[in-house]
Amino acid sequence: MQQPSVHLRTRAISAGNLRAFAAVARHLNFRAAAEELALTQSAVSRQIQALEEEIGVSLFLRHTRAVELTSAGAQMMRAVEPSLERLDSTVRLIRRSSGRKSVAISTWASFASMWLISRLEAFQSEYPDIDLRIDATDNLIDLDTTDVDLAIRYAAPSTVPPGAIRLFGEQLTAVASPWLLKTGRPLRDGADLAHFAVIEAGDAHRTHHLEWLSWRRWCDTHGLEKLEPKRWMYFNYAYQIAQAALTGQGVALARMPLVADSLASGDLIEVLPHMRMESPMAYWLIVGPRSAARPEIKAFCTWLQLQAAGTRKAIGDTPDPDTVDQLD
């Protein structure tokens, strides 16, 4: 049953109970909220009651084993959650600015493991006083409200925000391990793929822009619509696809920028270099508006673009005017 509403108040509420409210609203459970906040369940309950008395309406419907938000509670949650995140982000920025210089980068796991991490030692050697934090996630980060300074994203040009810096474009190509090529059938043209297992992104057919990562698209592009490989292998992440190819499990359709280092070292071989396929996707650097003026951010972005220039050269990507340093 909904608790009776008390008289509406006009005085501004105190902020002390908002974290308890947000925790209960997320979990819809007082016990779980108490565990998150390291408080007793009764303490959390008292904070919620105090907040409801201050506002003048009930925020939750209490049931035997759980609670649910009232319409007022849901409205309150939409305001409280981003406000707390913005407050926490500001506090982290203040604390960080008073201590060591640091750069927080958001990107996705495959790019971090296949391209970025191996290059970071060079940056740290050049800038030993700058700390780095890598947040590897597929979720888009709001650079206006979080404490992340910049994001590296994989997207079509039409979807990136104004001011995004293009690091490099992309081609797709067939790659395999030297061991597989020595022990398997000859692989001289596209039709020879019928004798091999092929590896591709498992979600390529469920997402429009990732359809470009599919072997079917590659086959259609090269007039091999009827080609049927020995078997198919699907993985969700680019680094899994590359790992499967490195261990000789099949021929992978790989993103050139992410396997350029493995091709240069000879760990992978580009088996059909004359049959590369252009992709509409590119790799972008997006700098948070609150971070762009900091010297350490400028230093990292300049360094990153120099690294990107090396990858463009390795994969034959033509430099674009928008790849120049836009932070000066």
Side-chain angles (χ1 to χ4, degrees), residues 156-188:
S158 60
T159 65
V160 297
I165 302 169
R166 182 182 182 277
L167 296 175
F168 35 77
E170 178 176 81
Q171 290 179 317
L172 303 172
T173 193
V175 300
S177 72
W179 175 84
L180 179 66
L181 298 177
K182 290 178 181 178
T183 59
R185 298 279 294 270
L187 182 48
R188 300 187 180 93

CSV table of all heavy atoms in Angstrom, one decimal, residues 156-188:
chain,number,residue,atom,x,y,z
A,156,ALA,N,31.1,5.3,-38.0
A,156,ALA,CA,31.0,5.9,-39.4
A,156,ALA,C,31.1,7.4,-39.2
A,156,ALA,O,30.7,8.0,-38.2
A,156,ALA,CB,29.7,5.5,-40.0
A,157,PRO,N,31.7,8.1,-40.3
A,157,PRO,CA,31.9,9.5,-40.2
A,157,PRO,C,30.6,10.3,-39.8
A,157,PRO,O,30.7,11.3,-39.1
A,157,PRO,CB,32.4,9.9,-41.5
A,157,PRO,CG,33.1,8.6,-42.0
A,157,PRO,CD,32.2,7.5,-41.5
A,158,SER,N,29.5,9.8,-40.3
A,158,SER,CA,28.3,10.6,-40.1
A,158,SER,C,27.7,10.5,-38.7
A,158,SER,O,26.9,11.3,-38.3
A,158,SER,CB,27.2,10.0,-41.0
A,158,SER,OG,26.9,8.6,-40.8
A,159,THR,N,28.3,9.7,-37.8
A,159,THR,CA,27.8,9.5,-36.5
A,159,THR,C,28.7,10.1,-35.4
A,159,THR,O,28.3,10.1,-34.2
A,159,THR,CB,27.6,8.0,-36.2
A,159,THR,OG1,28.9,7.3,-36.2
A,159,THR,CG2,26.7,7.3,-37.2
A,160,VAL,N,29.8,10.6,-35.8
A,160,VAL,CA,30.7,11.2,-34.7
A,160,VAL,C,30.4,12.6,-34.5
A,160,VAL,O,29.9,13.3,-35.3
A,160,VAL,CB,32.2,11.0,-35.1
A,160,VAL,CG1,32.6,9.6,-35.3
A,160,VAL,CG2,32.5,11.8,-36.4
A,161,PRO,N,30.7,13.1,-33.3
A,161,PRO,CA,30.3,14.5,-32.9
A,161,PRO,C,31.3,15.5,-33.6
A,161,PRO,O,32.4,15.1,-34.0
A,161,PRO,CB,30.5,14.5,-31.4
A,161,PRO,CG,31.5,13.5,-31.1
A,161,PRO,CD,31.2,12.4,-32.1
A,162,PRO,N,30.9,16.7,-33.7
A,162,PRO,CA,31.8,17.8,-34.3
A,162,PRO,C,33.1,17.8,-33.5
A,162,PRO,O,33.1,17.7,-32.3
A,162,PRO,CB,30.9,19.1,-34.2
A,162,PRO,CG,29.5,18.6,-34.1
A,162,PRO,CD,29.5,17.3,-33.4
A,163,GLY,N,34.2,18.0,-34.2
A,163,GLY,CA,35.5,18.1,-33.6
A,163,GLY,C,36.2,16.8,-33.4
A,163,GLY,O,37.3,16.8,-32.9
A,164,ALA,N,35.5,15.7,-33.7
A,164,ALA,CA,36.2,14.4,-33.6
A,164,ALA,C,37.3,14.3,-34.6
A,164,ALA,O,37.3,14.8,-35.7
A,164,ALA,CB,35.2,13.3,-33.9
A,165,ILE,N,38.4,13.7,-34.1
A,165,ILE,CA,39.7,13.7,-35.0
A,165,ILE,C,39.8,12.2,-35.5
A,165,ILE,O,39.8,11.3,-34.8
A,165,ILE,CB,40.9,14.0,-34.1
A,165,ILE,CG1,40.8,15.4,-33.5
A,165,ILE,CG2,42.2,13.9,-34.9
A,165,ILE,CD1,41.8,15.7,-32.4
A,166,ARG,N,39.9,12.1,-36.8
A,166,ARG,CA,40.0,10.8,-37.4
A,166,ARG,C,41.4,10.3,-37.3
A,166,ARG,O,42.4,11.0,-37.7
A,166,ARG,CB,39.7,10.9,-38.9
A,166,ARG,CG,39.7,9.6,-39.7
A,166,ARG,CD,39.4,9.9,-41.2
A,166,ARG,NE,39.4,8.7,-42.0
A,166,ARG,CZ,40.5,8.1,-42.5
A,166,ARG,NH1,41.7,8.6,-42.3
A,166,ARG,NH2,40.4,7.0,-43.3
A,167,LEU,N,41.6,9.2,-36.6
A,167,LEU,CA,42.9,8.6,-36.5
A,167,LEU,C,43.3,7.8,-37.7
A,167,LEU,O,44.4,8.0,-38.2
A,167,LEU,CB,42.9,7.7,-35.2
A,167,LEU,CG,42.7,8.4,-33.9
A,167,LEU,CD1,42.6,7.4,-32.8
A,167,LEU,CD2,43.7,9.4,-33.6
A,168,PHE,N,42.5,6.9,-38.1
A,168,PHE,CA,42.7,6.2,-39.4
A,168,PHE,C,41.5,5.5,-39.8
A,168,PHE,O,40.5,5.3,-39.0
A,168,PHE,CB,43.9,5.1,-39.2
A,168,PHE,CG,43.9,4.4,-37.9
A,168,PHE,CD1,43.0,3.4,-37.5
A,168,PHE,CD2,44.9,4.8,-37.0
A,168,PHE,CE1,43.1,2.8,-36.3
A,168,PHE,CE2,45.0,4.2,-35.7
A,168,PHE,CZ,44.1,3.2,-35.4
A,169,GLY,N,41.4,5.1,-41.1
A,169,GLY,CA,40.3,4.4,-41.7
A,169,GLY,C,40.5,2.9,-41.5
A,169,GLY,O,41.3,2.4,-40.7
A,170,GLU,N,39.8,2.2,-42.4
A,170,GLU,CA,39.9,0.7,-42.2
A,170,GLU,C,39.7,0.0,-43.5
A,170,GLU,O,38.9,0.4,-44.4
A,170,GLU,CB,38.8,0.3,-41.2
A,170,GLU,CG,38.7,-1.2,-41.0
A,170,GLU,CD,37.6,-1.5,-39.9
A,170,GLU,OE1,36.4,-1.5,-40.2
A,170,GLU,OE2,38.1,-1.7,-38.8
A,171,GLN,N,40.4,-1.1,-43.7
A,171,GLN,CA,40.2,-2.1,-44.7
A,171,GLN,C,40.0,-3.5,-44.0
A,171,GLN,O,40.6,-3.7,-42.9
A,171,GLN,CB,41.3,-2.2,-45.7
A,171,GLN,CG,41.4,-1.0,-46.6
A,171,GLN,CD,42.5,-1.1,-47.6
A,171,GLN,OE1,43.6,-1.5,-47.2
A,171,GLN,NE2,42.3,-0.8,-48.9
A,172,LEU,N,39.3,-4.4,-44.6
A,172,LEU,CA,39.2,-5.7,-44.1
A,172,LEU,C,39.9,-6.6,-45.0
A,172,LEU,O,39.9,-6.5,-46.2
A,172,LEU,CB,37.7,-6.1,-44.1
A,172,LEU,CG,36.8,-5.2,-43.2
A,172,LEU,CD1,35.3,-5.6,-43.4
A,172,LEU,CD2,37.2,-5.3,-41.8
A,173,THR,N,40.6,-7.6,-44.4
A,173,THR,CA,41.5,-8.5,-45.2
A,173,THR,C,41.5,-9.9,-44.5
A,173,THR,O,41.3,-10.0,-43.3
A,173,THR,CB,42.9,-7.9,-45.3
A,173,THR,OG1,43.6,-8.7,-46.3
A,173,THR,CG2,43.6,-8.0,-44.0
A,174,ALA,N,41.8,-10.9,-45.4
A,174,ALA,CA,41.9,-12.3,-44.9
A,174,ALA,C,43.3,-12.5,-44.3
A,174,ALA,O,44.3,-12.3,-45.0
A,174,ALA,CB,41.6,-13.3,-46.0
A,175,VAL,N,43.3,-13.1,-43.1
A,175,VAL,CA,44.6,-13.3,-42.4
A,175,VAL,C,44.6,-14.7,-41.9
A,175,VAL,O,43.5,-15.3,-41.5
A,175,VAL,CB,44.9,-12.3,-41.3
A,175,VAL,CG1,45.0,-10.9,-41.9
A,175,VAL,CG2,43.9,-12.4,-40.2
A,176,ALA,N,45.8,-15.3,-41.7
A,176,ALA,CA,45.9,-16.7,-41.2
A,176,ALA,C,47.3,-16.8,-40.6
A,176,ALA,O,48.2,-16.0,-40.9
A,176,ALA,CB,45.6,-17.8,-42.2
A,177,SER,N,47.5,-17.8,-39.8
A,177,SER,CA,48.8,-18.1,-39.2
A,177,SER,C,49.7,-18.8,-40.2
A,177,SER,O,49.2,-19.5,-41.0
A,177,SER,CB,48.6,-19.0,-37.9
A,177,SER,OG,48.3,-20.3,-38.3
A,178,PRO,N,51.0,-18.5,-40.1
A,178,PRO,CA,51.9,-19.3,-41.0
A,178,PRO,C,51.8,-20.8,-40.9
A,178,PRO,O,51.9,-21.5,-41.9
A,178,PRO,CB,53.3,-18.8,-40.5
A,178,PRO,CG,53.0,-17.5,-39.9
A,178,PRO,CD,51.7,-17.6,-39.2
A,179,TRP,N,51.5,-21.2,-39.6
A,179,TRP,CA,51.4,-22.7,-39.4
A,179,TRP,C,50.2,-23.3,-40.2
A,179,TRP,O,50.4,-24.3,-40.8
A,179,TRP,CB,51.2,-22.9,-37.9
A,179,TRP,CG,50.9,-24.4,-37.6
A,179,TRP,CD1,51.9,-25.4,-37.4
A,179,TRP,CD2,49.7,-25.0,-37.5
A,179,TRP,NE1,51.2,-26.6,-37.2
A,179,TRP,CE2,49.9,-26.4,-37.2
A,179,TRP,CE3,48.3,-24.6,-37.5
A,179,TRP,CZ2,48.9,-27.3,-37.0
A,179,TRP,CZ3,47.3,-25.5,-37.3
A,179,TRP,CH2,47.6,-26.8,-37.0
A,180,LEU,N,49.1,-22.6,-40.2
A,180,LEU,CA,48.0,-23.1,-41.0
A,180,LEU,C,48.3,-23.1,-42.5
A,180,LEU,O,47.9,-24.1,-43.2
A,180,LEU,CB,46.7,-22.2,-40.7
A,180,LEU,CG,45.5,-22.6,-41.5
A,180,LEU,CD1,44.9,-23.9,-41.0
A,180,LEU,CD2,44.4,-21.5,-41.3
A,181,LEU,N,49.0,-22.1,-43.0
A,181,LEU,CA,49.3,-22.1,-44.4
A,181,LEU,C,50.3,-23.2,-44.8
A,181,LEU,O,50.2,-23.7,-45.9
A,181,LEU,CB,49.8,-20.7,-44.8
A,181,LEU,CG,48.8,-19.5,-44.5
A,181,LEU,CD1,49.5,-18.2,-44.9
A,181,LEU,CD2,47.6,-19.7,-45.3
A,182,LYS,N,51.1,-23.6,-43.9
A,182,LYS,CA,52.1,-24.6,-44.2
A,182,LYS,C,51.4,-26.0,-44.2
A,182,LYS,O,51.9,-26.9,-44.9
A,182,LYS,CB,53.2,-24.6,-43.2
A,182,LYS,CG,54.2,-23.4,-43.4
A,182,LYS,CD,55.3,-23.4,-42.3
A,182,LYS,CE,56.2,-22.2,-42.4
A,182,LYS,NZ,57.2,-22.1,-41.4
A,183,THR,N,50.5,-26.2,-43.3
A,183,THR,CA,49.9,-27.5,-43.1
A,183,THR,C,48.6,-27.8,-43.9
A,183,THR,O,48.2,-28.9,-44.0
A,183,THR,CB,49.6,-27.8,-41.6
A,183,THR,OG1,48.7,-26.8,-41.1
A,183,THR,CG2,50.9,-27.7,-40.8
A,184,GLY,N,48.0,-26.7,-44.4
A,184,GLY,CA,46.7,-26.8,-45.0
A,184,GLY,C,46.8,-26.8,-46.5
A,184,GLY,O,47.9,-26.9,-47.1
A,185,ARG,N,45.7,-26.7,-47.2
A,185,ARG,CA,45.7,-26.7,-48.7
A,185,ARG,C,46.2,-25.3,-49.1
A,185,ARG,O,46.2,-24.3,-48.4
A,185,ARG,CB,44.2,-26.9,-49.1
A,185,ARG,CG,43.6,-28.2,-48.8
A,185,ARG,CD,44.0,-29.3,-49.7
A,185,ARG,NE,43.5,-29.0,-51.0
A,185,ARG,CZ,42.3,-29.5,-51.5
A,185,ARG,NH1,41.5,-30.2,-50.7
A,185,ARG,NH2,41.9,-29.2,-52.7
A,186,PRO,N,46.6,-25.2,-50.4
A,186,PRO,CA,47.1,-23.9,-50.9
A,186,PRO,C,46.0,-22.9,-50.9
A,186,PRO,O,44.8,-23.3,-51.1
A,186,PRO,CB,47.5,-24.3,-52.4
A,186,PRO,CG,47.8,-25.7,-52.4
A,186,PRO,CD,46.8,-26.3,-51.4
A,187,LEU,N,46.3,-21.7,-50.6
A,187,LEU,CA,45.3,-20.6,-50.5
A,187,LEU,C,45.8,-19.5,-51.4
A,187,LEU,O,46.5,-18.6,-50.9
A,187,LEU,CB,45.1,-20.2,-49.1
A,187,LEU,CG,44.1,-19.1,-48.8
A,187,LEU,CD1,42.8,-19.4,-49.5
A,187,LEU,CD2,43.9,-18.9,-47.3
A,188,ARG,N,45.4,-19.5,-52.7
A,188,ARG,CA,45.9,-18.6,-53.7
A,188,ARG,C,44.9,-17.6,-54.1
A,188,ARG,O,45.2,-16.5,-54.6
A,188,ARG,CB,46.5,-19.3,-54.9
A,188,ARG,CG,47.7,-20.2,-54.5
A,188,ARG,CD,48.3,-20.8,-55.8
A,188,ARG,NE,49.4,-21.7,-55.4
A,188,ARG,CZ,49.3,-23.0,-55.3
A,188,ARG,NH1,48.1,-23.6,-55.5
A,188,ARG,NH2,50.4,-23.7,-55.0
